[in-house]
Amino acid sequence: MIDNNFFAAATTDVITQHLLGHELLYQSSKGPVGGLIVEAEAYMGVKDSAAHSFGGRRTSANEALYAAAGTIYIYSIYGHYMLDIATQELDEPQGILIRALQPTRGLLIMQKNRPQGDFNLTNGPGKLMAALGINSLDLNLQPLTASPLSISSKRIQQPRKIIASPRINVSVGSWQMRPLRFYVAHNPYVSGMKKGEYDLDKYGWR
């Protein structure tokens, strides 16, 4: 299991890239479910115009970002739940949004949780949470190391190539075009990946 030091060992953008290929596992009431992280976005704190903590904004809703590195931050947008992990030291509100997973555990459970076929099952931040069966804020503010969620200590798969691009649905602000979204090139579970770019042999792994 990954420890909290991982999330404070480098800048948030570097940590985000390092997460690709690690396995995210959730011990759900129906059984273990999870997958390889294939897409994630970095949010760089008070200076980042797209971050929930931009300008030092601090509320009960985003308090998890100000907690110690490795704290779970779950929030809801239009009824869809999103999974963030806080990075950096206490009161330095940066974080990583997990955007897509390639399923490795409990596929049948995930398909029952979210009846979608093929790559549409977990190719987005709200989709993966629904597939995992996380439909509340119950895990918010919990340390990753003391929760039903865990991340493997090492990469399970090595990306052949990592792409950096602007984050999705960031439409305003000076950080709109910053390349802070990272994904495994040609992995079909990456959100918005075009079918013509799919690697259906190795899924973008070495």
Side-chain angles (χ1 to χ4, degrees), residues 95-110:
I96 296 169
L97 171 65
I98 308 299
R99 280 200 56 90
L101 297 177
Q102 176 185 325
T104 54
R105 311 266 193 112
L107 179 60
L108 293 179
I109 296 172
M110 288 194 285

Side-chain angles (χ1 to χ4, degrees), residues 44-149:
M44 306 298 290
V46 297
K47 60 187 178 181
D48 183 348
S49 60
H52 289 180
S53 56
F54 177 55
R57 181 174 179 269
R58 186 171 187 171
T59 69
S60 58
N62 74 351
E63 183 63 29
L65 282 176
Y66 288 84
T71 298
I72 296 168
Y73 172 38
I74 294 179
Y75 59 95
S76 176
I77 298 179
Y78 303 120
H80 301 288
Y81 291 91
M82 311 288 171
L83 173 62
D84 263 67
I85 307 295
T87 60
Q88 307 309 316
E89 60 190 22
L90 195 67
D91 291 328
E92 179 56 52
Q94 300 185 32
I96 296 169
L97 171 65
I98 308 299
R99 280 200 56 90
L101 297 177
Q102 176 185 325
T104 54
R105 311 266 193 112
L107 179 60
L108 293 179
I109 296 172
M110 288 194 285
Q111 289 173 332
K112 288 181 180 179
N113 287 339
R114 185 172 188 273
Q116 293 288 331
D118 299 326
F119 309 118
N120 193 45
L121 180 64
T122 50
N123 65 344
K127 295 176 182 180
L128 73 88
M129 289 288 273
L132 293 175
I134 301 175
N135 300 300
S136 74
L137 301 177
D138 290 350
L139 298 179
N140 188 50
L141 280 166
Q142 291 190 26
L144 190 65
T145 53
S147 81
L149 277 170

Side-chain angles (χ1 to χ4, degrees), residues 16-62:
T16 306
Q17 296 175 68
H18 286 174
L19 268 183
L20 300 179
H22 287 252
E23 184 182 49
L24 175 70
L25 184 63
Y26 176 51
Q27 300 292 343
S28 79
S29 60
K30 301 175 184 177
V33 289
L36 300 176
I37 299 171
V38 298
E39 179 186 3
E41 291 178 341
Y43 288 85
M44 306 298 290
V46 297
K47 60 187 178 181
D48 183 348
S49 60
H52 289 180
S53 56
F54 177 55
R57 181 174 179 269
R58 186 171 187 171
T59 69
S60 58
N62 74 351

